[in-house]
Amino acid sequence: MAKAARTKPEGLRERKKRETRQRISDIATGLFLERGFDAVPIAEIAEAADVSVNTVYNYFPAKEDLFLDRSSDVVDRLSRYVRGRADGESAAQAVLREFRAEVEAVSPRVGLFEGYASFMAVIENAPALRSRLWRIQQEAVEDIERTLRKEAGAAEGDPLPMLVGGQLAWAQGTLMGFIGREMCAGRPAAEVSRDALRLLDELEEILGEKVLNYAVRTA
């Protein structure tokens, strides 16, 4: 397996910045859930968080970033899974393994949390958030294609990184769409988790050998 990169210990300044950013996002999210995205101005968020409007914009360049504050993690998710694959494991196998682990753990990172329906309702009622979410999804597709091209050592013009990346993005979208639909229907997260694991088994069969055997990491 690839060696994990050493992470530099977080300093006091970095920790305070991270905590401030999280506090602003949490307060904004609470206000958006209560009254809707468009009804809450940045000035009100700044006042509630006891910071200036400029401070809010320093941490969040756009209002949409306050609600979709983990977009960078979503964009990079598939690529992280691929880069972290084990020796003898393909890109798709790594992605499926990671998704199974998240679903089995009933992780909020894949939408398995109480209040998911309220979260999605804010997005559905805000055109700006819907537009940003669409763009995040497109960036994720572009990101996994670049990663696969590098990891597989694909030649310029080789269509396989695009095709395999598209299939992995489709699998992710199908899984998240299923979880979202079932959670919005009011089902318990643990129950949705069990059905999602079965869905992942079906997805693996549909992907086929060419996708499942692409970009195997050699020892």
Side-chain angles (χ1 to χ4, degrees):
M1 183 179 292
K3 292 182 179 179
R6 291 186 177 181
T7 56
K8 184 180 178 182
E10 185 180 42
L12 178 61
R13 179 181 175 84
E14 289 74 20
R15 179 173 61 80
K16 286 185 175 180
K17 288 176 66 176
R18 174 176 55 79
E19 290 173 347
T20 298
R21 186 182 192 279
Q22 190 61 55
R23 186 178 77 255
I24 294 170
S25 175
D26 289 345
I27 288 170
T29 297
L31 291 169
F32 294 150
L33 288 170
E34 180 182 344
R35 290 171 28 219
F37 181 77
D38 294 329
V40 182
I42 293 291
E44 182 178 346
I45 295 168
E47 182 178 0
D50 195 25
V51 297
S52 69
V53 169
N54 283 341
T55 296
V56 174
Y57 279 118
N58 284 339
Y59 284 102
F60 302 94
K63 185 180 177 183
E64 294 83 1
D65 298 327
L66 284 158
F67 195 67
L68 300 172
D69 61 320
R70 297 178 182 175
S71 60
S72 60
D73 289 338
V74 174
V75 168
D76 189 50
R77 174 190 280 168
L78 291 174
S79 290
R80 289 198 313 273
Y81 292 169
V82 169
R83 290 192 297 266
R85 68 197 186 283
D87 292 340
E89 188 174 44
S90 73
Q93 288 166 344
V95 167
L96 291 168
R97 171 176 54 77
E98 292 284 358
F99 275 132
R100 284 192 177 98
E102 294 279 15
V103 170
E104 192 169 6
V106 194
S107 171
R109 288 188 292 268
V110 289
L112 292 166
F113 64 91
E114 185 178 351
Y116 181 85
S118 299
F119 180 87
M120 288 306 298
V122 174
I123 295 176
E124 288 297 323
N125 292 321
L129 286 176
R130 293 201 305 273
S131 177
R132 173 57 66 87
L133 186 59
W134 179 87
R135 184 56 200 156
I136 289 170
Q137 293 166 343
Q138 300 311 302
E139 289 174 4
V141 173
E142 295 163 5
D143 187 75
I144 186 59
E145 179 185 346
R146 287 192 298 269
T147 297
L148 286 172
R149 190 168 296 280
K150 180 179 179 180
E151 292 290 319
E156 186 177 352
D158 184 348
L160 279 177
M162 177 186 65
L163 295 173
V164 174
Q167 289 295 295
L168 296 182
W170 165 79
Q172 174 177 244
T174 299
L175 173 67
M176 297 301 293
F178 171 79
I179 290 174
R181 184 179 70 243
E182 298 304 306
M183 292 299 294
C184 286
R187 295 182 63 197
E191 187 178 292
V192 176
S193 170
R194 290 193 294 272
D195 287 347
L197 286 172
R198 287 191 285 269
L199 179 70
L200 281 168
D201 290 339
E202 296 290 337
L203 283 173
E204 183 169 2
E205 289 187 19
I206 290 173
L207 287 176
E209 292 301 314
K210 195 162 188 176
V211 173
L212 292 173
N213 292 324
Y214 187 75
V216 174
R217 168 161 281 155
T218 55

